[in-house]
Amino acid sequence: MTREITVAAAIEGIAAVTDFVDELLEAADCPMRAKMQIDIAIDELFSNIAHYAYGSGGGDVTLRVEMGERSAELTFIDRGAPFNPLEQKEPDVTLPAEQRQIGGLGILMVRKSMDELSYEYEGGENRLRVVKRW
C-alpha cells in the first residue's frame, strides 16, 4: 500500500506528516520502538527540508509512504536546492560538546536507526528514501 501527503515545507508541517505516518504504522502493528525511530527520522529530515531546501521562497514537501508486511519505506520529495545529506561528513561524537561543529547529529541518528537510506536528484526533485524494518 502506497500513500502520500503533501504539505508546505515549514516546521508546522511536521505534526501533520507524523500523524499521517503514525496512522499507517498503527494499522500495520508496528512496534513502539520502530515507530519512535521513524518519528525521529521524520522530524529530523523534514526539519532539514523546511529550513534549507527553498531558502526564503517556500515550497512543498511530499512524503510517499509504502508499507510492507513488516516494514515502512518513506520517501521525502521536494523541489528545493539539490542537497544530498548522505554525503555530509559525520560529526566526531568523541569530541567534548564544546569542541564539536554544529549540525550533523540528526542525520547521524537517522543513519543509525534506519535500515536503508538513499538519495537521488532527478527531474528537479530531491528524493531522500529511508526504510525501517521490524
Side-chain angles (χ1 to χ4, degrees):
M1 167 183 56
T2 302
R3 301 270 311 272
E4 287 186 3
I5 184 172
T6 300
V7 298
I11 294 300
E12 296 78 22
I14 293 173
V17 170
T18 302
D19 289 346
F20 172 78
V21 173
D22 284 351
E23 282 185 30
L24 298 173
L25 295 174
E26 287 172 21
D29 291 325
C30 178
M32 183 57 70
R33 178 180 169 93
K35 180 183 160 302
M36 289 173 58
Q37 290 171 326
I38 292 168
D39 287 352
I40 290 169
I42 291 169
D43 188 78
E44 292 298 332
L45 299 173
F46 195 98
S47 292
N48 284 344
I49 294 167
H51 282 106
Y52 304 114
Y54 294 103
S56 61
D60 291 332
V61 179
T62 296
L63 179 60
R64 181 174 299 144
V65 182
E66 186 166 335
M67 298 301 298
E69 188 174 321
R70 295 183 48 82
S71 66
E73 176 179 315
L74 286 68
T75 305
F76 295 81
I77 304 165
D78 70 78
R79 298 188 69 76
F83 177 71
N84 182 351
L86 305 179
E87 290 180 345
Q88 302 307 302
K89 184 178 157 189
E90 286 192 16
D92 184 351
V93 294
T94 62
L95 292 173
E98 61 274 359
Q99 293 179 9
R100 291 184 200 163
Q101 295 272 345
I102 293 175
L105 289 176
I107 193 68
L108 177 64
M109 288 189 325
V110 173
R111 285 181 187 201
K112 300 286 184 195
S113 64
M114 296 293 110
D115 295 302
E116 293 180 37
L117 283 93
S118 63
Y119 169 85
E120 66 181 2
Y121 185 77
E122 184 178 302
E125 294 180 334
N126 290 291
R127 293 174 178 259
L128 182 60
R129 179 181 150 274
V130 299
V131 176
K132 181 65 182 176
R133 295 181 192 88
W134 58 87

